[in-house]
């Protein structure tokens, strides 16, 4: 029995270590990119979706391009193992969905809430028919990311290919993400589009009572207030107090996923929190201790337009992947590099959707990496603590076992 227990402990420890590499990369890149987004207004990204698409692209990178991607994507210490880590994280997310389904089934027998979590993660490659893609590359991304190759004709029908890829993304995200790739973004030199589509719909572990929702003041700025529908609940929520903010986590059905709200201490403290937020702080939210909290949380819906991430990734240091300077891109792991025919990333598009109400959360995201051909060029129970998200705040949807954030964003105006 002792040997079996030791083996089980070693297995669990190895799995945690495997999850950590992907989770830390997801959270750190999410924070890096969040800081590059507009400083005003509501924003939302899916670090997990972005990382999934770029991790597949990284699988075909070599030389300086690979080194730069390792640095920007935070793979440096785990480059050789990162694909295993993403595969393990995806498997763990699948397990969370199964756990939620079982809980919903059990609950239904007793007349309780019966809606399980829906989490659809889909990866796919859309490649030019007849192009010399590396068999080892396509095999790896299919095995580790579940991404099959669909053959396209970008050379003579790039507009049709754009429609087909956008339709696939729309289907995989329950029509929440439409027209991710704009017309004209793909052309006769496009050789590969690496895509991730993510759809999430989850009921709270315990719903907010609609009868308690009421209009409360939200401070858009120091001198501007509006009244917005605000949900109220008292429960044992995970709670963490940091230097400049309070974090409260609301569990989803099944217990493996949670919504985190990070409320600045000061009415105008959102910039300070954003500038100091770390991947470690996000991970700590997954391990925070429960505390009796009275939470005031506004309902909101965010649906930003598709955003190009190419400039942001280059600013973070991923330059040769975009063939800057000309001739420097090295994706010879995707297809053989020739003096007059080699691959580079022409653009990365990303789009999200999130809506939150008394019943739960619905969210979706999609990311497309477009690769083109270049031609020669406490002990006592304390009193309830009241937390009011009545000012601009940050939020995240987090996988608790790994600490990875599927979504990360800011709400400055819930209306």
């Amino acid at each position: 029995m002792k040997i079996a227990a030791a083996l089980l402990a070693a297995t669990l420890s190895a799995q945690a270590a495997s999850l950590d590499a992907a989770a830390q990369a997801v959270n750190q890149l999410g924070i890096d990119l969040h800081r590059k987004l507009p400083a005003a207004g509501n924003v939302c990204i899916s670090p997990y979706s972005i990382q999934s698409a770029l991790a597949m692209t990284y699988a075909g990178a070599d030389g300086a391009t690979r080194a730069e991607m390792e640095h920007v994507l935070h793979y440096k210490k785990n480059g050789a193992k990162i694909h295993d880590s993403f595969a393990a994280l995806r498997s763990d997310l699948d397990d969370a969905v199964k756990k939620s389904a079982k809980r919903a089934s059990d609950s239904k027998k007793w007349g309780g809430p019966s809606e399980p979590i829906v989490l659809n993660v889909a990866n796919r490659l859309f490649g030019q028919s007849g192009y010399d893609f590396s068999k080892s590359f396509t095999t790896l991304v299919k095995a580790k990311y579940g991404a099959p190759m669909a053959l396209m004709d970008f050379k003579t029908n790039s507009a049709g290919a754009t429609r087909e890829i956008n339709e696939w993304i729309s289907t995989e995200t329950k029509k929440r993400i439409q027209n991710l790739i704009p017309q004209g973004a793909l052309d006769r030199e496009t050789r590969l589009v690496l895509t991730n589509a993510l759809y999430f719909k989850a009921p709270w572990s315990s719903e907010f009572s609609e009868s308690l929702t009421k209009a409360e003041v939200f401070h858009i700025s120091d001198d501007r207030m509006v009244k917005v529908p605000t949900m109220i609940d008292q429960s044992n929520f995970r709670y963490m107090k940091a230097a400049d903010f309070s974090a409260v986590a609301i569990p989803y059905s099944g217990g493996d996923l949670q919504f985190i709200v990070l409320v600045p201490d000061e009415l105008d403290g959102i910039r300070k929190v954003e500038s100091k937020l770390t991947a470690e702080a996000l991970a700590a939210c997954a391990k925070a201790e429960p505390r009796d909290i009275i939470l005031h949380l506004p309902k909101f819906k965010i649906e930003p337009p598709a955003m190009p991430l190419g400039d942001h990734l280059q600013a973070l240091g991923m330059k040769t992947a975009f063939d800057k300077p000309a001739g420097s891109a090295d994706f010879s792991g995707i297809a053989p590099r020739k003096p007059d025919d080699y691959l580079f990333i022409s653009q990365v598009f990303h789009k999200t959707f999130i809506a939150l109400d008394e019943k739960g959360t619905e969210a979706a995201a999609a990311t497309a990496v477009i690769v083109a051909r270049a031609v020669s060029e406490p002990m006592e129970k304390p009193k309830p603590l009241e937390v009011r998200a009545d000012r601009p705040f940050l939020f995240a949807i987090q996988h608790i076992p790994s600490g990875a954030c599927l979504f990360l964003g800011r709400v400055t105006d819930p209306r």
Side-chain angles (χ1 to χ4, degrees), residues 40-55:
N42 300 333
V43 297
C44 180
I45 59 173
S46 171
Y48 177 68
S49 176
I50 296 168
Q51 274 283 12
S52 295
L54 288 172

Side-chain angles (χ1 to χ4, degrees), residues 308-331:
L309 298 178
D311 287 348
H312 298 323
L313 291 167
Q314 290 180 60
L316 290 172
M318 219 172 89
K319 296 184 183 297
T320 65
F322 292 87
D323 206 31
K324 304 290 178 64
S328 61
D330 187 350
F331 287 102

Side-chain angles (χ1 to χ4, degrees), residues 210-231:
E210 292 186 28
S211 64
L212 296 179
T213 298
K214 61 181 181 179
E216 292 191 342
V217 168
F218 187 89
H219 300 265
I220 294 177
S221 62
D222 275 347
D223 57 358
R224 188 180 172 203
M225 297 180 294
V226 295
K227 283 200 169 185
V228 298
T230 303
M231 306 181 299

Side-chain angles (χ1 to χ4, degrees), residues 53-54 57 124 126 154 158 161-162 165-166 169 180-196 307-310 313 318 321-323 331 334 343-350 367-373:
L54 288 172
T57 314
R124 181 166 291 190
F126 296 89
F154 297 114
S158 57
T162 301
I165 297 171
N166 281 338
I169 291 169
L180 172 67
I181 302 174
Q183 290 299 320
L186 308 183
D187 58 28
R188 64 187 310 276
E189 299 300 340
T190 301
R191 291 297 174 265
L192 179 65
V193 179
L194 304 96
T195 56
N196 168 272
M307 64 179 81
L309 298 178
L313 291 167
M318 219 172 89
F322 292 87
D323 206 31
F331 287 102
I334 296 179
L343 300 177
F344 71 100
I345 299 176
S346 60
Q347 189 52 275
V348 177
F349 290 106
H350 183 64
T367 307
V369 179
I370 300 170
V371 177
R373 179 181 73 134

Side-chain angles (χ1 to χ4, degrees), residues 51 171 215 291 336 347 388 399:
Q51 274 283 12
T171 299
R291 178 163 177 181
Q347 189 52 275
R388 292 178 177 269
H399 175 237

